[in-house]
Amino acid sequence: MKLLRFLAILLAIAMLATSFASAQEERVLVIGHAESTDSLDPARGYTQTTGVIHRALYETLVTFPDDSAAEILPMLATDWTISDDGLSYTFNLNPAAVFSDGSPVTAEDVVYSVNRLKNIQGSPSFLAAIIADVVADDADTVTFTLSDVSPAFLANLANTAFGITNSEVVTANGGSAAEDAATTDAALDFLNSNSAGSGPYILESWEPQVETVLVRNENYYGDAPYFDRVIITNIPEPATQKVALESGEIDLALDLTSDQIAPLEGNPNITIFRGPGNIVHFLLMNANPDIGGPMADPLVQRAVRMALDYPGYAALWGGVQPGSMMFYGNAYSFAPEQGVQRDLDGARALLAEAGYADGFDITLEYPTFTFQGVNMDTNAQKIQADLAEIGINVTLAPAELQVALESYRTGQEGFGYWFWGPDVLDPIDFLSFLPGGKVADERALWTPDVASEELNAMVAEARIATDPAAREELFTQLQAYTLENSPWAPFIQPDVQTALAADLQGYVWHPQWLLDVALLSRAE
Amino acid sequence: MSLAQYALRRILLIIPLLIGITFVSFLIANAIPADPINTNLPPSQLNNEAIVAAFRAEWGLDKPPIEQYFTYLGNLLQGNLGRSIKTRQPVAEDIAKFLPATIELATVATVFGIFIGVGLGIVSAVWRNRPIDFIARAVAVIGVSVPVFVLALLFLSVFHAQLGIAAGPGRLTVTLRDPPTVTGLFTVDSLLAGRPDLFLDAASHLILPGLVLALYIAGLISRVTRSSMLEILSMDYMRTARSKGVRESIVVMKHGLRNAMLPIVTVIGLSYGNLLAGAVLTESIFAWPGIGRYMFRASTSQDFPAIMGVSLLIAFIYVVVNFVVDILYYFLDPRIRLS
C-alpha cells in the first residue's frame, strides 16, 4: 500500500516535470481579448477579432506596411497591372507561395476565394460587390474585372476578408463559391475549427467564448514567426485584462481603455505602446450662410484653422495634428508639419478682411461623448479658449450623442465638433470631405454647386484616377486646397494605446488588422 | 405519508410548471418589438429577400407565433431543444458545454457560503449583541450589499495581481490544456485523467470567484441562521438540555442548529439555484465560460431557441433544488412525515 502511494507520488512528480519541460521549449504568446465574432470563416467573420486571427492564418494578394496604410505592397501577388480604363486588374502570383498543406497557391484558389466571399453574402461581402468577374488566366495569373472604376480597389483587396483559401480543402469540406453559396456553402463548421490558408500560423482550435489557439505553420514559405503557439484567451472585461496583464498571465491586452492604461505607467513589467490612430477630430463650419452665419465665410474658416493651438491638443491626448482631413498614415496624406500652423495675427487679419474685426458670437454644437479615451467636452473648452484669442466668442452647446447626430446628419449644424474614422483605408476616403462627398454635401452643405469649377474638376479626376503618380499629385493638390479653402478644421489625431509585457518586442498597431502576431518576439 | 409518495407528488407537480415556464418565456421573447433577423444576419443580407426568407424558414419564424410555440413544445416533448441561431449548434449541446463550468463554480461557492454564512450566523446568535455579533452582522451586510463586480475586481487585483497568492481569471492557467471532457467539471475530469497538476490548477482557479459569490450568499445565510437560531435558543428545551448538564457546544450544535435548520436549508437551496442560474457579472469578470454568459449573449441577439432552452434549464434547476430542499425537510422535520 505504501509502495503504491509512493509510486503515485512519483508519477505525479514525473508528469509535472514533463509538462514543465515541454512548456519551456515552446515559445508561447498569450493575448487577452474580448472576443467578438461568431465565425472564423474569412468570408463570414468581420470584426476586430477576425482581423487579428485572419492576419495570422491567411494572406491577401496585396497588403499594407506593418504599421500604416501608407502604400500598397505585394503579398501573394508579386506585381500587378491596371488597365487604362481602370476596370481590369491583373495580378501575377508568387510561385513560391504554398498553403499550410504544402500545395501551391494558384490563380484558381484566388478565383474560388473571391467568388466565395462575394456569393456567401456574409458581413464582409460588400467589399467584393464591385467585382464583376474574376478569372484565372493561367496557374499564376489572375484578372479581376470591376463593374465600375474604383481606385480604392487595391486597398480593399488588402482587407483580411480577401484572405486566399485553399480551394481544394474548402470544397472537400462542404465549401461552395457558386452563385447560390449563401444557402449552399457548408464549410462554416470546418473553417471555424481549421484554417486553409498560406499565413504564418494555422488554427489549432477555436473554443467560442473561451480561447483561440494558433500554432506555427510548418510549411510557411516566408520567414518563420518567433512564437510557436499563440493563445488568444477571451477575457470579456477589460478590467480583468488589466489584472491579467499585471500578474503576467497575458502578454498583451487588446481592449484596455486609456484610463485603464494610465495607472500602468511606471510598472517595470509593462510597456505602453503609443502611436497615432486613424481617428481625426475636426470642426465643421457650415458652408451655407443661412445656417453657418459668419462661419460660412471661407476667410473666417481659414482664420479658425489658424487660431487653433495644435500642439496643445497633442499634449492633452498624445497623437499628432492631422495634416488634413485625411488621417496621417494613409497613402499621400499630409504630415503634421504640412498642416496649418497657428498664427493668431494672421487669423485676426483674416477676420478683419472678412468684416469681423471685432469678432462675433457663435454656438459650437457637439456630442457629450468620450471616444477611445478622448473627452470631447475637454476639447470643446479648449476650442472655446483658442478662438477667444481672435475675438470669436464661442458658446458651448453639448448634446446627447443621438440628439447631436440628428442635427449633424441633416446638415443643420452651423458650427460643430465631430470625429471621423475612415470607411476605407485609401485616400479615396478623403473625398467624403470634398464637394460631391457625403460629409461635405450633407453635413456642411459644401456641394458641387457652391464649390469652384477648379475644385470640382480635381475631385472628378481623383474619383477615377488609378495611376499612383497621378493619384499622389491629385490628392496633394486637394489636401493643399482644403487648407486654404474648406469648411473643415481638423485638429487632433489622438494616439492609440496598447499595454503589453515589457519583454515583448515588435508590437505595432495597424489600422486594418489591429495586430500582426507574426511580428512579435520576446527579448531573451 | 411515505417518502416515495411524497417524492412522487412533488415530481408530478413539476411537469405543468415546466410547461407553464415554456409558455411564459415564449411570450416574453416574442413580445420584444425587434426582429431577430437584424441581430443575426449581416447588414448586406438584410435587403436580400431570398436570404431573409430562407432564414425565417430555417428558424420557423415565418409561421404564426402560436404554431411556432406548439412546434417547439412538440420538439421539446421528444427531448429536442432546437438549435441556437447564434452558435448554430444544438442548444442542448451548448448547455452541456457551458453548464459544467457554472455547476463547478456554484457548488464551490455554495460550500464556501454555507461555512461562512452558517458560522457567522451561529456566532451572532450565541453571542447576541456582543461585539463579535456586530462584526459578524457587518460582514453579512457587506457581503450582501457590495456589488459583486466591485468585490470581484478588488479580489482579483489584490489577491491575484498584487499579492500573487491566488489564481486569476479563467478555469485553468491559459497555457495548460483542458483535461479530456468526461463530466465537463475540470476538477473531476483532471482527476479522472490522472493529472493531479491540472486538478490543483483548476481548483485554485475556483477559489477567488467562489469566494466572491460565497460572500454574496453568506450574507443572506448568516442573517437567516442568526434569526432562526435566536428563536430556537430561547426555547424551553434548550434550557432543559443545559440543566441536564449537556455541554454548551452540543446544546448549540445538536439541539439548537439542528432545529434551526429548516429556514437555513431553504435559503441555501434558493441561493444555490440562484448561482446555477448564472452569475453573469462574476462570470464576465473572471472570464468564466458559464451559462450566465451564454444566456446574456442569447438574449442580446434574440436567439429564441437558446433563450427558451436556458429559461427552461433555469426553471428546471430551481424546481430540482426546491425538490431536494423538500426532501431534506422530510428528514429534518419529523412532523412532515406524520402529516
Side-chain angles (χ1 to χ4, degrees), chain B residues 3-337:
Chain B
L3 179 63
Q5 269 178 314
Y6 182 74
L8 189 69
R9 211 171 71 173
R10 288 276 152 192
I11 290 170
L12 286 178
L13 278 171
I14 292 175
I15 296 166
L17 187 68
L18 286 180
I19 293 178
I21 296 279
T22 62
F23 186 66
V24 172
S25 48
F26 185 83
L27 269 187
I28 293 174
N30 270 278
I32 300 167
D35 194 331
I37 67 163
N38 292 319
T39 49
N40 291 291
L41 285 181
S44 55
Q45 294 186 349
L46 291 179
N47 294 323
N48 187 325
E49 277 171 31
I51 290 181
V52 170
F55 177 85
R56 289 194 193 283
E58 181 181 1
W59 302 105
L61 299 168
D62 52 347
K63 309 249 172 56
I66 193 76
E67 198 185 328
Q68 287 179 38
Y69 177 67
F70 280 107
T71 311
Y72 183 84
L73 215 54
N75 289 336
L76 187 66
L77 290 178
Q78 299 164 33
N80 181 358
L81 287 173
R83 262 190 320 140
S84 153
I85 301 180
K86 190 93 184 157
T87 68
R88 309 188 71 85
Q89 302 297 319
V91 172
E93 270 181 34
D94 277 351
I95 289 177
K97 211 160 64 187
F98 289 104
L99 187 62
T102 298
I103 289 180
E104 204 168 23
L105 179 55
T107 307
V108 168
T110 304
V111 171
F112 285 177
I114 292 172
F115 276 108
I116 302 172
V118 174
L120 285 178
I122 294 173
V123 166
S124 267
V126 172
W127 288 282
R128 183 185 180 187
N129 289 337
R130 305 267 184 78
I132 193 156
D133 177 27
F134 290 116
I135 294 170
R137 280 156 72 189
V139 171
V141 170
I142 290 170
V144 177
S145 54
V146 174
V148 283
F149 62 89
V150 171
L151 216 52
L153 280 173
L154 192 75
F155 276 26
L156 260 183
S157 59
V158 173
F159 297 113
H160 173 59
Q162 308 292 328
L163 302 177
I165 53 173
R171 295 179 74 189
L172 269 189
T173 297
V174 188
T175 45
L176 293 178
R177 279 170 226 190
D178 297 358
T181 305
V182 182
T183 61
L185 308 168
F186 279 7
T187 43
V188 176
D189 287 355
S190 56
L191 288 180
L192 291 179
R195 292 285 302 275
D197 57 324
L198 276 190
F199 171 79
L200 286 180
D201 196 84
S204 68
H205 277 84
L206 279 163
I207 292 175
L208 280 189
L211 214 53
V212 167
L213 290 176
L215 281 178
Y216 174 67
I217 62 169
L220 207 64
I221 294 175
S222 79
R223 298 182 72 147
V224 171
T225 307
R226 180 175 184 272
S227 64
S228 179
M229 280 295 281
L230 282 177
E231 199 187 316
I232 302 292
L233 287 176
S234 64
M235 290 284 173
D236 289 343
Y237 59 76
M238 297 297 286
R239 202 177 43 207
T240 311
R242 284 200 188 95
S243 60
K244 280 197 303 185
V246 180
R247 262 197 300 154
E248 185 63 18
S249 60
I250 292 178
V251 173
V252 171
M253 297 310 283
K254 201 172 160 199
H255 298 259
L257 185 60
R258 170 106 199 240
N259 286 306
M261 256 345 248
L262 272 195
I264 302 175
V265 165
T266 310
V267 169
I268 292 172
L270 282 177
S271 307
Y272 188 54
N274 207 343
L275 294 183
L276 281 176
V280 181
L281 283 172
T282 312
E283 286 183 2
S284 272
I285 289 171
F286 283 97
W288 201 266
I291 209 74
R293 293 243 317 278
Y294 180 71
M295 180 61 165
F296 178 75
R297 241 162 50 105
S299 23
T300 49
S301 58
Q302 284 179 282
D303 186 345
F304 290 154
I307 295 173
M308 299 279 290
V310 180
S311 306
L312 260 182
L313 172 78
I314 291 174
F316 186 70
I317 285 172
Y318 268 102
V319 167
V320 169
V321 168
N322 269 324
F323 175 69
V324 171
V325 167
D326 282 347
I327 299 292
L328 284 177
Y329 280 1
Y330 186 90
F331 287 108
L332 287 171
D333 189 348
R335 284 169 298 189
I336 290 178
R337 273 174 261 175

Side-chain angles (χ1 to χ4, degrees), chain A residues 406-482:
Chain A
E406 181 65 19
S407 83
Y408 169 64
R409 286 189 172 146
T410 51
Q412 292 307 303
E413 240 171 51
F415 185 37
Y417 161 27
W418 290 92
F419 59 86
W420 176 259
D423 294 327
V424 46
L425 295 179
D426 183 90
I428 208 95
D429 193 71
F430 177 56
L431 298 183
S432 302
F433 291 90
L434 291 166
K438 193 177 172 72
V439 190
D441 280 9
E442 296 174 17
R443 323 293 197 232
L445 307 181
W446 193 31
T447 57
D449 305 344
V450 300
S452 70
E453 263 181 47
E454 175 207 3
L455 179 62
N456 285 334
M458 271 198 287
V459 169
E461 232 182 302
R463 217 171 271 291
I464 54 168
T466 50
D467 173 59
R471 295 190 89 200
E472 175 155 24
E473 194 185 327
L474 275 166
F475 280 103
T476 304
Q477 284 173 0
L478 283 171
Q479 287 179 83
Y481 187 99
T482 59

Side-chain angles (χ1 to χ4, degrees), chain A residues 489-514:
Chain A
F491 58 93
I492 181 70
Q493 183 176 331
D495 271 342
V496 286
Q497 306 183 357
T498 313
L500 48 141
D503 60 355
L504 213 56
Q505 298 174 325
Y507 176 84
V508 280
W509 177 84
H510 196 276
Q512 210 252 75
W513 49 77
L514 197 66

